[in-house]
Each structure stands twice: as C-alpha cells, then as structure tokens.
Amino acid sequence: MNTIVDPWFTVTELDPKTFAISEYGHWEKVHSFLLLGKEKAALIDTGLGIDHIKRITDQLTDLPIIVLTTHVHADHIGSHGEFDTIYVHQDDADWLINGIKGLSLDQIRKDMSRDITRPVPKSFNPHTYRPFQGIPDKVLVDGDIIHLGKRDLAIYHTPGHSPGHISIFDQPTGYLFTGDLFYAETPIYAFYPSTNPVDLVNSLERIAQIKGVSKIYGGHNQLGLESTTLFDALEGVQYLREHNLHRHGTGIHSFNSFSVQF
C-alpha cells in the first residue's frame, strides 16, 4: 500500500487486506476498519462524520463496500450516508431509522465538537451536525455470516453498550472487532440510561470464549490489543458479578487492561 497522507484520517495497514482508519484529532480517537475480500469489502463503522471517510476507502479499494455497524451511536455512523449498503443489528435498527435514544442532539453536538486537535474541514458545522438516519439494507441477527469472497465474518450479538451492539469475528485472520464493548485506556461506557450493565458483562464473557482470536480491535484509543486481554475480561466479569457491581451508579471499575463505568 502506498502511504496515505490525509489531514484528518490516519490509515494503518494491519495486513495487506485489512486497514484501520483512525480519527486521532478528536478526543474519542475513533477507529473504523476496512476489510477486503475477493468479491466485496466490509467497512466496520464509518467514524465521526466530521470528514468524509469515503475519500479514504476510495483510495484503498474499488470493491463494493458493505458497511457493518457495530452499534448506532453518532461516532460510529458519521459517514454512513456516503455508502449504498448498510447493515445493522435488528435491535439497533430503530435507532438508525428514527434517531439515537438516550443521548440528546445537544449533547451529541457538544461531544462532537470538543477537544479537537486537528483542523476540521469547512463542511463540518457542529451547530448543525446531525447523526445519520436511514433505513438499513439488511438487518443482522446473531450468528449471521458475511461472505466477502474467501473471507467470512461472523456476527456476534453483544448488547450492553447499546441494545443491538455487535462484535465481528474475522475468521481467516482471527481478528475480533469489538466496537465499544471492549477497548483500553478509557472506561467502557455503560452508564447511559440506554445501556444495560448486566448485558454488557454477559457480552464480555461471551467474546472471551471465542476460540482462535489472534488480535482484538476496539472502536477507540489504542489500536489493537493482545488476545490475552480476554483473560482480563473474564476476571473482570467474575469480580463484577461476585460483588454485584454490574448495575448503574456503581462507578468506574478498573482491571488489568481495561475499565468499565456503570
């Protein structure tokens, strides 16, 4: 791959057919991921929508792109409108069609516009910013397999952060894309009224039991976690359950490689 130099996006080649597209100029440090198959490509999330991510994907592939939505929050669906084919889990489909629940538009705009460290394009206006809304082309359920051509992606329903949150297991490489279920450096958010701490803990346990994981790629912060961090997830699950802490209002709980806020 020729190095892509861009004022807003940072592109990292994870392997010759897998790319992280990161937005380090924003405090959320969001990652989207482009996975190339033989016949199609999958774009896992589309970022903040501050700038146009299709400018980057056009430089990386000419394959038709399926957008796989890990969950319907503004920082993961920002450039959905730039693509023709969008998939979302059935339990987040209403949020995509009718608007995100649990966060006001005013709060979303504040979060989108604060603590930005790189120049933003003139097209970005935080005062008029609105999260994408639209009808998905396919509604996903747990156990679905997305065929890209010599590359199959398994869909795991991992609710908690949102009702229809999914994790995506790239079977050929062992990469596990966890969206906002599991990442490092800042707490995993499970304190919104629309989050479910019990579901989130159950989902952490579930991904920790997936066999063959070689690397974990969350939606924020550090790019790539070792598969051994799943042992930390299991230990965290056990501790939270034993002490009845997986409920709203119990605060931030820190473990070896991650933390969670209820």
Side-chain angles (χ1 to χ4, degrees), residues 26-28 104-116 124 126-127 129:
H26 189 270
W27 66 276
E28 293 189 89
S104 69
L105 179 58
D106 183 60
Q107 186 61 53
I108 289 170
R109 286 173 173 171
K110 287 179 181 177
D111 289 342
M112 197 60 59
S113 61
R114 71 178 177 88
D115 300 329
I116 294 176
F124 174 64
H127 304 293
Y129 177 93

Side-chain angles (χ1 to χ4, degrees), residues 51-76:
D51 207 343
H52 302 292
I53 202 170
K54 192 173 186 293
R55 179 175 71 246
I56 302 301
T57 60
D58 282 349
Q59 296 178 67
L60 294 171
T61 187
D62 56 5
L63 291 167
I65 291 176
I66 298 167
V67 171
L68 300 179
T69 312
T70 62
H71 63 294
V72 179
H73 282 160
D75 52 323
H76 295 266

Side-chain angles (χ1 to χ4, degrees), residues 53-202:
I53 202 170
K54 192 173 186 293
R55 179 175 71 246
I56 302 301
T57 60
D58 282 349
Q59 296 178 67
L60 294 171
T61 187
D62 56 5
L63 291 167
I65 291 176
I66 298 167
V67 171
L68 300 179
T69 312
T70 62
H71 63 294
V72 179
H73 282 160
D75 52 323
H76 295 266
I77 62 169
S79 287
H80 270 39
E82 299 174 31
F83 298 92
D84 296 328
T85 307
I86 297 169
Y87 293 2
V88 66
H89 189 271
Q90 60 182 5
D91 291 348
D92 267 13
D94 177 69
W95 291 15
L96 193 71
I97 297 166
N98 297 310
I100 299 163
K101 303 297 189 295
L103 286 173
S104 69
L105 179 58
D106 183 60
Q107 186 61 53
I108 289 170
R109 286 173 173 171
K110 287 179 181 177
D111 289 342
M112 197 60 59
S113 61
R114 71 178 177 88
D115 300 329
I116 294 176
T117 58
R118 293 187 184 181
V120 298
K122 292 180 180 179
S123 58
F124 174 64
N125 183 342
H127 304 293
T128 58
Y129 177 93
R130 299 189 71 88
F132 171 84
Q133 287 181 233
I135 298 173
D137 298 275
K138 179 178 174 64
V139 173
L140 297 167
V141 297
D142 185 69
D144 277 344
I145 303 295
I146 309 299
H147 303 286
L148 301 180
K150 300 204 182 271
R151 190 172 194 176
D152 289 344
L153 310 178
I155 303 300
Y156 287 79
H157 182 209
T158 51
H161 184 71
S162 77
H165 190 288
I166 60 171
S167 298
I168 300 160
F169 185 49
D170 181 16
Q171 296 173 328
T173 63
Y175 300 158
L176 178 63
F177 298 92
T178 55
D180 280 7
L181 171 63
F182 190 69
Y183 52 79
E185 296 181 351
T186 57
I188 297 160
Y189 285 5
F191 58 86
Y192 302 139
S194 57
T195 61
N196 187 313
V198 171
D199 283 351
L200 188 135
V201 167
N202 291 341

Side-chain angles (χ1 to χ4, degrees), residues 29-51:
K29 296 180 174 60
V30 174
H31 305 298
S32 305
F33 300 92
L34 182 68
L35 285 59
L36 308 183
K38 192 169 182 60
E39 299 165 3
K40 300 176 183 178
L43 179 60
I44 299 175
D45 293 337
T46 63
L48 293 155
I50 288 175
D51 207 343

Side-chain angles (χ1 to χ4, degrees), residues 197 200-201 204 233-247 250-255 258-260 262:
L200 188 135
V201 167
L204 285 173
L234 278 178
E235 290 180 2
V237 165
Q238 183 178 358
Y239 181 86
L240 291 166
R241 286 175 176 163
E242 285 180 353
H243 295 84
N244 191 29
L245 294 170
H246 51 323
R247 51 194 172 85
T250 62
I252 298 175
H253 309 285
S254 298
F255 303 97
F258 78 103
S259 61
V260 60
F262 296 131

